[in-house]
Amino acid sequence: MDRNEEITLTQMRKSVEKLGSSTESYGEKTLMRFLIARSMDPEKAAKMFCQWKKWRAEMVPLGYISDSDVADELAAEKVYLQGLSKNVHPVVIIKVNKHFPSKDQIQFKKFVVHLLDKTIASSFKGREIGNEKLIGILDLKNITYSNVDVRGMITGFQFLQGYYPERLAACYLLHMPQFFVTVWRFICRFIDKATREKIRIVTSEEQREQFIKDVGEEVLPEEYGGRAKLALLQDVAVNY
């Protein structure tokens, strides 16, 4: 960390205190994520950090969300946690054709937090560093209109932006059908520029080869060009 970053980080800590909160027990790498997300503006980063702490206290009072809290969502067997990519990022795969818009939005939001927290936790053993990033893969193969969940996708990306700043390394969209293009353009209106730049729609063979190269054959399931087997989210054990 250079001198300017140290000064900005100190300013952020002071701004957090002025807002009636504290950065105690949070390391530099965690706080830097909020600064980067707010273009190194210490006051904006402090506000975002305080909002995040308040949200975590309300949404995840125990520090984690158990499988039993999101049992209905897990039962669909639509999310897979595949291990670490070549760049040591945990890889999470969502098969969208197994997803249907939830009638229980509270449980769905908890599920989004559950899968993001568990994915991040799978990247380390012991203590969290604070700057861990994840790779998301949205597989749109064989989806129909009944699988389209605009509200759910917007919620997922907005949670990433607002409450998991700088956690996304890359998000790949595979097998996008023509009818979904218009839907995706609408969803993109709710995704900020920094997040959109990390989203890659894989269509050509060249892009597919680059996707396999970037993620790694060791972690990608066979159906995506790798050598691994699919591993259901609920079958993977992690320590929070």
Side-chain angles (χ1 to χ4, degrees):
M1 182 177 292
D2 63 32
R3 181 60 180 159
N4 288 335
E5 288 177 341
E6 289 179 0
I7 292 171
T8 305
L9 192 59
T10 299
Q11 292 173 335
M12 177 187 169
R13 289 184 187 276
K14 290 179 178 178
S15 294
V16 169
E17 290 176 4
K18 288 180 181 178
L19 291 171
S21 189
S22 170
T23 59
E24 188 178 354
S25 78
Y26 294 97
E28 293 178 350
K29 293 187 183 299
T30 295
L31 300 180
M32 279 300 298
R33 288 193 292 106
F34 290 87
L35 279 166
I36 293 170
R38 288 296 176 262
S39 303
M40 300 305 288
D41 184 315
E43 291 187 0
K44 289 181 179 178
K47 183 178 180 181
M48 185 183 194
F49 177 78
C50 291
Q51 290 172 338
W52 168 76
K53 280 187 70 178
K54 182 176 182 294
W55 174 82
R56 286 292 298 187
E58 295 172 352
M59 177 65 81
V60 200
L62 299 178
Y64 68 95
I65 291 175
S66 68
D67 286 7
S68 61
D69 288 332
V70 290
D72 294 340
E73 295 291 338
L74 288 173
E77 299 189 345
K78 57 191 172 185
V79 181
Y80 304 83
L81 191 50
Q82 292 301 126
L84 303 181
S85 72
K86 288 173 63 177
N87 292 325
V88 202
H89 301 314
V91 177
V92 61
I93 298 172
I94 301 175
K95 285 182 173 284
V96 183
N97 69 344
K98 292 187 174 186
H99 172 78
F100 298 92
S102 177
K103 295 178 181 178
D104 184 346
Q105 282 299 305
I106 294 175
Q107 181 178 167
F108 177 74
K109 289 178 180 179
K110 286 184 177 181
F111 182 64
V112 172
V113 174
H114 173 81
L115 76 87
L116 290 174
D117 282 359
K118 191 167 185 177
T119 300
I120 293 165
S122 73
S123 68
F124 60 84
K125 292 181 179 179
R127 188 174 178 83
E128 179 182 356
I129 295 172
N131 62 350
E132 294 87 353
K133 296 178 181 288
L134 63 89
I135 291 175
I137 299 172
L138 295 179
D139 183 0
L140 300 162
K141 188 175 183 179
N142 296 329
I143 66 167
T144 65
Y145 284 103
S146 62
N147 302 119
V148 175
D149 184 5
V150 172
R151 182 180 181 182
M153 290 192 76
I154 291 172
T155 294
F157 280 109
Q158 289 188 334
F159 272 27
L160 264 174
Q161 295 168 182
Y163 306 123
Y164 295 83
E166 293 301 306
R167 286 296 202 187
L168 183 64
C171 178
Y172 296 91
L173 271 62
L174 310 180
H175 308 121
M176 182 185 288
Q178 187 60 40
F179 82 84
F180 193 78
V181 173
T182 302
V183 177
W184 178 246
R185 286 175 182 159
F186 176 77
I187 291 170
C188 281
R189 297 179 187 177
F190 300 87
I191 304 175
D192 64 31
K193 183 174 181 288
T195 302
R196 286 200 308 272
E197 289 175 348
K198 298 173 184 177
I199 298 172
R200 295 152 199 180
I201 301 174
V202 179
T203 54
S204 68
E205 183 59 30
E206 182 180 354
Q207 290 170 332
R208 179 179 173 276
E209 290 176 1
Q210 189 63 49
F211 157 69
I212 296 171
K213 182 179 178 181
D214 290 345
V215 179
E217 292 183 11
E218 294 298 322
V219 68
L220 273 176
E222 295 169 352
E223 63 188 272
Y224 302 111
R227 296 194 294 271
K229 301 294 184 183
L230 282 168
L232 273 172
L233 179 69
Q234 54 264 51
D235 292 343
V236 178
V238 301
N239 293 316
Y240 290 100

